[in-house]
């Protein structure tokens, strides 16, 4: 089989998005629409991918600069045929060309593969709709052979009765495509160069025209407004939820889960309602995630319990930890096994050793905390002097009394105890009690000040 080129049309303005952002850069499941299409395209191992862009200027190629694709500008936009023409100089003749759309994000690999298997000649992806309004109609002869596509605006009332419509996605021999596009005119209701006119040309050239239909209707749905975007977002999320449940993950409610990236789960994982997973997240065996937790780019090892409303970002969590409710692990956090991080505890760029606990209302930043350390409620590492960040080191078995400030750089020795309410500015010795607060005194006979009598 010949090699494959892919042309992705992405020049449209997206007027009905009412946005300054080009339509194809709006996100579905946290990823720009065009990126979904590029990822699909890449799976087909094409020789060349060509993105035709227009509205939004360089924003489109800039946002997609990670892809080995050719970006060609279409200016002005004179129709879908004209758009594909812009890509032709970059495509080798001895190949086939697949046309995809930057605003049709959910076409499945299987469907595109089926098109590649459908035979030589021209392959169209079509779908039957109860209400075909707005689409190009697939016109067939008595033998059922495709003759041409007629756009809604050019169709007679008789042709408008046809329920089989053009999705726009097609596969054509590149050399033929080049010839046909060269012959396109714009003598039609919209004054545009229609890509769809190549179908009649193929028929005239005696080429077979095959059709393939997608398994699901949403595979070929395009996005023109925020409502359609939200609809396809739900389709995506339902698919993710179904896949997770098929692998044995317990979802309290599959309709209340959002995965914007990849979520990998072990056995007997339980996820409560309203959780959001972004980027690359892995949850080990028996991990439970409480309601309304937000977890991004994190790995959580087996047996760890995350209570409701916890936020975890760019962090590594060991096995059998307890996190939350209302805990926040910021980038660079590493919790070793059996660590406990409780409510209103914020940890950033810090390592917490095995079995250590910070259960209430603390800030731990730029710190290295050893094993079996207890960090009392309200402990703060003062890591920032207004210009630079400094590290706090707390060695194994230390006990930090409540409401302690550790002014970094500072080290708390092994087994050291810090009395509650201390402000620690110097390193503290191993195994000793260190306090920095003044002694409690009581003044007998002291009187509260009184308001002056009038
Ligand atoms: C097109 C098809 C129609 C099909 C429908 C499916 C043509 C002539 N008609 O109609 O048969 O049923 O899609 O949705 O092809 N684009 C460009 N440059 C242009 C024009 C369009 O990049 O100059 C892109 C748009 O951004 C859009 C896509 O091509 O993503 C389709 O264009 P649109 O104008 O929406 O075509 P339709 O009129 O819907
Ligand atoms: Ca359209």
């Amino acid at each position: 089989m010949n090699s494959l080129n892919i042309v992705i049309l992405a020049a449209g303005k997206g007027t009905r998005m009412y946005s300054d952002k080009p339509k194809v850069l709006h996100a579905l499941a946290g990823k720009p629409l065009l990126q979904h299409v590029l990822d699909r395209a890449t799976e087909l191992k094409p020789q060349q991918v060509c993105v035709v862009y227009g509205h939004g200027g360089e924003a489109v190629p800039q946002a997609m600069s990670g892809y080995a694709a050719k970006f060609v500008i279409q200016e002005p936009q004179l129709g879908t045929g004209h758009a594909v023409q812009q890509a032709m100089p970059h495509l080798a003749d001895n190949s086939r060309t697949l046309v995809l759309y930057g605003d049709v994000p959910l076409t499945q690999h299987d469907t595109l593969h089926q098109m590649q298997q459908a035979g030589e000649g021209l392959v169209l992806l079509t779908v039957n709709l109860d209400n075909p309004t707005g689409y190009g109609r697939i016109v067939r002869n008595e033998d059922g052979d495709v003759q041409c596509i007629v756009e809604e605006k050019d169709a007679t009332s008789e042709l408008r009765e046809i329920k089989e419509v053009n999705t726009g996605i097609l596969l054509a021999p590149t050399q033929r495509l080049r010839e046909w596009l060269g012959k396109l005119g714009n003598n039609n209701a919209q004054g545009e160069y229609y890509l769809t006119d190549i179908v009649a040309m193929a028929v005239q050239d005696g080429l077979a025209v095959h059709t393939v239909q997608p398994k699901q209707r949403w595979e070929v749905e395009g996005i023109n407004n925020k409502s359609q975007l939200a609809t396809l977002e739900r389709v995506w999320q339902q698919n993710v939820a179904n896949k997770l449940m098929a692998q044995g993950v317990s979802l309290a409610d599959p309709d209340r889960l959002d995965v914007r990236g990849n979520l990998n789960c072990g056995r007997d994982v339980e996820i409560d309602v309203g959780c959001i997973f972004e980027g690359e997240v892995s949850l080990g065996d028996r991990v439970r995630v409480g309601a309304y937790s937000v977890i991004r780019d994190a790995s959580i090892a087996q047996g760890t319990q995350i209570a409701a409303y916890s936020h975890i970002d760019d962090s590594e969590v060991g096995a059998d930890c307890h996190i939350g409710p209302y805990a926040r692990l910021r980038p660079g956090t590493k919790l070793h096994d059996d660590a406990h991080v409780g409510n209103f505890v914020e940890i950033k760029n810090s390592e917490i050793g095995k079995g250590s606990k910070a259960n209430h209302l603390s800030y731990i930043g730029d710190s290295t905390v050893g094993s079996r350390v207890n960090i009392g409620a309200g402990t703060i590492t003062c890591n920032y002097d207004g210009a630079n960040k400094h590290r706090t080191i707390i060695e194994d078995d230390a006990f930090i009394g409540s409401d302690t400030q550790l002014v970094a750089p500072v080290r708390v020795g092994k087994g050291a105890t810090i009395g509650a309410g201390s402000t620690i500015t110097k390193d503290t010795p191993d195994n000793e009690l260190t306090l920095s607060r003044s002694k409690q005194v009581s003044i007998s006979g002291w009187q509260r000040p009184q308001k002056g009598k009038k």
Side-chain angles (χ1 to χ4, degrees):
M1 188 59 70
N2 290 331
S3 61
L4 183 69
N5 298 309
I6 298 179
V7 177
I8 302 174
L9 302 193
K13 187 169 180 188
T15 313
R16 282 175 288 158
M17 297 298 268
Y18 297 101
S19 168
D20 295 333
K21 196 157 52 173
K23 176 163 76 171
V24 294
L25 296 187
H26 284 265
L28 184 144
K31 192 163 93 173
L33 297 176
L34 179 55
Q35 205 177 328
H36 285 267
V37 183
L38 277 163
D39 285 344
R40 265 293 113 73
T42 307
E43 286 168 8
L44 297 172
K45 301 194 167 55
Q47 187 186 2
Q48 177 73 278
V49 177
C50 211
V51 177
V52 181
Y53 71 102
H55 279 281
E58 297 311 303
V60 171
Q62 267 161 21
M64 297 298 132
S65 61
Y67 288 86
K70 188 104 208 150
F71 290 85
V72 272
I73 192 153
Q74 183 199 16
E75 191 83 291
Q77 281 108 46
L78 303 178
T80 49
H82 178 255
V84 177
Q85 262 171 3
Q86 310 310 305
M88 293 318 289
H90 306 283
L91 309 181
D93 269 340
N94 181 27
S95 67
R96 293 202 290 176
T97 296
L98 174 67
V99 179
L100 300 175
Y101 297 81
D103 57 1
V104 181
L106 297 187
T107 316
Q108 300 293 289
H109 176 82
D110 269 4
T111 300
L112 299 177
H113 183 72
Q114 225 187 310
M115 288 179 73
Q116 287 183 282
Q117 302 303 310
E120 305 283 335
L122 184 60
V123 184
L124 306 176
L125 188 63
T126 73
V127 67
N128 286 70
L129 297 181
D130 292 336
N131 177 12
T133 308
Y135 291 90
R137 305 300 203 278
I138 306 292
V139 181
R140 294 177 185 266
N141 66 14
E142 311 84 72
D143 297 333
D145 299 328
V146 175
Q147 298 301 294
C148 61
I149 295 175
V150 178
E151 291 303 296
E152 163 105 8
K153 287 185 176 132
D154 300 291
T156 60
S157 56
E158 194 185 343
L159 290 180
R160 285 184 188 183
E161 293 300 310
I162 297 172
K163 306 280 192 220
E164 187 186 7
V165 305
N166 174 33
T167 65
I169 294 171
L170 59 80
L171 179 64
T174 306
Q175 196 177 348
R176 298 285 193 145
L177 182 62
R178 197 187 308 282
E179 290 164 22
W180 299 329
L181 290 173
K183 292 193 281 183
L184 284 184
N186 64 351
N187 183 18
N188 52 50
Q190 303 182 76
E192 287 181 8
Y193 295 89
Y194 289 166
L195 176 61
T196 45
D197 284 350
I198 69 167
V199 178
M201 296 180 193
V203 171
Q204 205 162 31
D205 287 356
L207 231 73
V209 180
H210 308 281
T211 57
V212 167
Q213 299 220 322
K215 280 201 194 69
Q216 294 105 174
R217 167 86 184 87
W218 46 257
E219 289 188 47
V220 295
E221 266 165 34
I223 291 173
N224 297 304
N225 56 43
K226 293 288 172 78
S227 166
Q228 290 167 339
L229 179 60
T231 301
L232 287 193
E233 175 80 26
R234 280 307 100 202
V235 169
W236 170 279
Q237 297 300 347
Q238 267 162 25
N239 289 346
V240 171
N242 288 339
K243 208 160 132 191
L244 289 169
M245 290 187 294
Q247 293 164 359
V249 176
S250 297
L251 301 176
D253 181 355
D255 287 338
R256 284 182 286 169
L257 169 76
D258 286 82
V259 178
R260 302 167 190 157
N262 291 313
L263 175 60
N264 278 298
C265 293
R267 290 175 80 82
D268 296 305
V269 166
E270 294 177 23
I271 300 172
D272 211 332
V273 299
C275 292
I276 300 174
F277 297 91
E278 298 182 330
E280 296 292 324
V281 175
S282 69
L283 305 177
D285 295 349
R286 300 179 308 286
V287 166
R288 290 212 318 241
V289 183
Y292 303 104
S293 292
V294 179
I295 303 182
R296 178 196 300 135
D297 292 323
S299 71
I300 317 286
Q302 58 184 50
T304 286
Q305 311 289 305
I306 299 167
Y309 297 101
S310 294
H311 286 206
I312 300 178
D313 186 2
D314 192 10
S315 296
E316 192 184 331
V317 174
D320 301 311
C321 291
H322 289 255
I323 297 172
Y326 300 101
R328 182 171 182 213
L329 306 187
R330 289 171 52 201
T333 295
K334 179 173 175 160
L335 304 188
H336 289 264
D337 297 352
D338 298 308
H340 290 210
V341 176
N343 39 238
F344 308 108
V345 174
E346 173 181 351
I347 302 184
K348 184 215 75 173
N349 188 29
S350 295
E351 193 167 333
I352 309 291
K354 189 169 187 319
S356 291
K357 296 175 183 166
N359 272 330
H360 329 270
L361 301 153
S362 280
Y363 172 62
I364 301 168
D366 303 305
S367 301
T368 305
V369 176
S371 302
R372 299 171 303 278
V373 168
N374 189 84
I375 295 176
T379 297
I380 305 286
T381 57
C382 309
N383 59 326
Y384 185 50
D385 60 14
N388 297 299
K389 301 275 172 69
H390 302 282
R391 283 200 84 77
T392 299
I393 315 262
I394 303 175
E395 296 187 351
D396 293 350
D397 300 297
F399 182 100
I400 314 293
S402 295
D403 194 27
T404 293
Q405 299 96 52
L406 298 162
V407 181
V410 74
R411 171 186 295 265
V412 175
K414 259 196 175 68
T417 301
I418 308 295
S422 294
T423 301
I424 301 298
T425 56
K426 294 193 292 257
D427 292 1
T428 76
D430 294 357
N431 302 315
E432 287 181 18
L433 170 66
T434 301
L435 311 150
S436 76
R437 58 181 137 91
S438 55
K439 262 210 176 89
Q440 180 169 329
V441 293
S442 299
I443 298 166
S444 61
W446 179 81
Q447 299 265 316
R448 278 193 197 166
Q450 306 270 314
K451 275 191 181 154
K453 282 181 191 142
K454 283 192 182 146

